[in-house]
Amino acid sequence: MAALADPRCRCASGRKFKRCCGPLLAGAPAPDPLALMRSRYSAFALGEVGHLVATVLPGSPAWSADPAWREQLAETCARTRFTGLRIVAAPPPVGDEGQVHFVADFAAEEGRGRLEERSRFRKVDGRWFYVDGDRAPEDR
Ligand SMILES: [Zn+2]
């Protein structure tokens, strides 16, 4: 079927994976914070822990030197089915700082959930990285 031969990207962009998050997951630099955020959502959905680790700014609040960090990320990916992504706001970056406000829907053993976050990104040596984010209280 065409749907299998031509899969749409998991980040809900409606684009083909190979023209959306695919190149970023393969190591290409993200052109902007929104593209990086989408690629990180796709990485969570696909269990691409290497991409999740590589796109967090070393030393930032979201980063960890603990080897268990990778295992925790892998567990989160394995336990969670990511079911939707909505971009609330992605203003143009100001200099080397950018923000993306998003809502991600997921399902886990405990039930369905929703994560809303205002993520911060920073550009270092030509690459965008995730720094940290402010999460809205989980309301369901
Ligand atoms: Zn994508």
Side-chain angles (χ1 to χ4, degrees):
M1 294 294 288
L4 291 174
D6 177 23
R8 297 288 146 179
C9 193
R10 293 296 300 271
C11 79
S13 64
R15 299 164 71 196
K16 294 176 185 174
F17 177 70
K18 67 181 179 185
R19 297 216 179 102
C20 189
C21 297
L24 275 60
L25 265 57
D32 54 39
L34 177 58
L36 184 66
M37 188 271 135
R38 286 186 172 284
S39 76
R40 286 177 50 79
Y41 177 88
S42 287
F44 271 108
L46 297 167
E48 294 279 354
V49 173
H51 183 71
L52 295 173
V53 169
T55 53
V56 174
L57 186 66
S60 71
W63 189 79
S64 173
D66 188 340
W69 181 35
R70 286 185 82 99
E71 291 164 35
Q72 288 160 7
L73 287 169
E75 268 179 44
T76 298
C77 294
R79 276 192 279 110
T80 314
R81 196 162 53 84
F82 292 87
T83 54
L85 173 65
R86 187 165 62 86
I87 305 300
V88 179
V94 178
D96 292 334
E97 306 280 336
Q99 290 194 28
V100 179
H101 180 186
F102 68 90
V103 178
D105 291 313
F106 60 88
E109 277 176 25
E110 314 86 78
R112 303 184 73 80
R114 172 170 283 183
L115 166 68
E116 179 171 2
E117 184 178 301
R118 285 179 170 82
S119 299
R120 278 181 288 277
F121 299 87
R122 187 175 304 148
K123 197 179 197 180
V124 177
D125 293 336
R127 288 187 89 101
W128 286 101
F129 291 90
Y130 176 64
V131 176
D132 64 358
D134 297 323
R135 290 190 180 173
E138 288 175 43
D139 57 355
R140 67 171 197 172

